Amino acid sequence: MSRSRLSPQAKRTSAVALGLALIAVAGTGTATAYWSGRAAGTGHSSTGTVAIAVTTSPVAGLYPGGSVAVSVTLKNSTAGSLTVTALTQSGTATIQSAGKGTCNPAVVTFAPGTLPSGPLSAGQSGTATGTVSMTTAAADGCQGTAFVVPLTATAQM
């Protein structure tokens, strides 16, 4: 039998170096498995927001200083369940049909009311309410005009 010619200090250094090399190789394999692993399935975010389809009808019956209650239909066209968190006006109203004369549609605004009480499942519709108002600064020609007010509904998954 032959005896090792390494000193005890050299043996310890070799053992430590071998141990560190083994740890490095094992760590590399774990990191590679973590970063290159593949999986299949579905999921959804619980913090994301999305805009959902809003169906509105022309609003009639307004006059300077007047308001009309409206009801709008919201449809969830995503694959998951959504909770509506806001309904807002998303631009200037447009004139659907003219009234007595000239009218600037910027005098018409929307204020939200109630939102659907619970989540909307995939493909499900819900109803929200609000109020469409015409400012007192509106010209008399706005009386009898029907407006389409663009709305956006925001929802969370």
Side-chain angles (χ1 to χ4, degrees), residues 18-131:
L18 179 62
L20 289 174
L22 288 173
I23 290 171
V25 169
T28 302
T30 302
T32 301
Y34 178 80
W35 289 108
S36 65
R38 292 194 167 94
T42 60
H44 71 280
S45 168
S46 60
T47 59
T49 59
V50 295
I52 61 174
V54 179
T55 303
T56 61
S57 297
V59 178
L62 289 170
Y63 54 88
S67 297
V68 174
V70 295
S71 178
V72 296
T73 302
L74 310 170
K75 182 171 184 182
N76 176 4
S77 56
T78 69
S81 182
L82 296 175
T83 300
V84 178
T85 57
L87 182 62
T88 56
Q89 184 170 345
S90 57
T92 303
T94 57
I95 295 175
Q96 175 71 27
S97 61
K100 294 172 90 177
T102 304
C103 181
N104 178 359
V107 299
V108 175
T109 58
F110 173 81
T114 61
L115 300 173
S117 60
L120 299 176
S121 300
Q124 183 182 15
S125 293
T127 302
T129 63
T131 305

